Amino acid sequence: MDTPKEILLTMQDGIKVITLNAPEKRNALSSTNALWMAKEIEKGPEDGTRVVVITGAGGAFCAGADLAQRDGIAGRLQESGGLVEEDLDEMTNTTYHRLSRAVYTLPRPVIAAVDGVAAGFGCALAVNADITLASTRARFIQVFINIALVPDGGSTFILPKLIGMKKAMEMAFTGDPVSAEEALRMNMVNRVYPAEELMEQTMKWARRLAQGPVKTMGVAKRMFYEAQLMTYDQALDMEAHRQGRLMTKPDFINAVAAFFQKKKPTFS
């Protein structure tokens, strides 16, 4: 499938950068483009992807789902005068939620670089990433309530874990924007940078992670999420098992040898 005209794709040194490129609508994402992104992310690591970066062009990250798309919600309402619940369930699960799952399950680091608005599904996409970097003008909005909808894209699962249930409820009930500085205080983002430095700093993060043992990062990513559903003892057992497996792998063996030789290790 060719890259959509509203998305830019680059790949260099194992870093795949996906840029939403529809600034005239603040990078609102159509279901078709969400599906394309999901499939592109799912290719890793088979296509050599070591790190994925998701960002937006023109001073916005993503204003959410593109309600004006002809095959989307508004288009269906205009054509039929009504919506079928089962059809909408399938559309969401096979497009937007497939993208959320792709980010969440990819066994490689995913970085979101958020400049400007991240609203609705765009907010969900930003916080689904493993590392979320923001510019000083970033704003995170659970805008669903303004059109009588509930948070989606994994927001109900991830947001309470990041910011606590009370703040998550506040965002969902009010639709009020959260500034970059507040998002940093609430642990929604890892770092905040001036807008003109955001992509430079993001690529520094990406290169640093890409040069590391990304397979191990993928295992750690899965463990962090799995442990949220475990008891403490179960988490310890999981850690012991995964650690034992990793100690048999070439990356660990070579890194230990490099340590004793006072050299910098290289990873597969």
Side-chain angles (χ1 to χ4, degrees), residues 144-164:
F144 302 96
I145 196 66
N146 294 337
I147 52 173
L149 292 179
V150 294
D152 65 14
S155 297
T156 60
F157 180 83
I158 290 176
L159 269 182
K161 289 177 168 55
L162 295 177
I163 66 176

Side-chain angles (χ1 to χ4, degrees), residues 195-246:
E196 63 273 14
E197 296 178 14
L198 178 62
M199 285 312 298
E200 177 187 354
Q201 295 294 337
T202 297
M203 295 311 294
K204 284 184 179 179
W205 276 83
R207 286 189 290 270
R208 177 181 178 182
L209 297 184
Q211 291 168 5
V214 292
K215 293 180 182 178
T216 303
M217 294 176 199
V219 175
K221 173 178 176 174
R222 188 81 267 120
M223 289 171 62
F224 275 121
Y225 290 134
E226 290 175 0
Q228 304 309 305
L229 307 176
M230 295 179 178
T231 66
Y232 182 69
D233 284 339
Q234 288 172 332
L236 288 175
D237 289 341
M238 174 188 65
E239 290 171 2
H241 174 66
R242 300 282 173 82
Q243 200 76 295
R245 290 183 60 188
L246 288 170

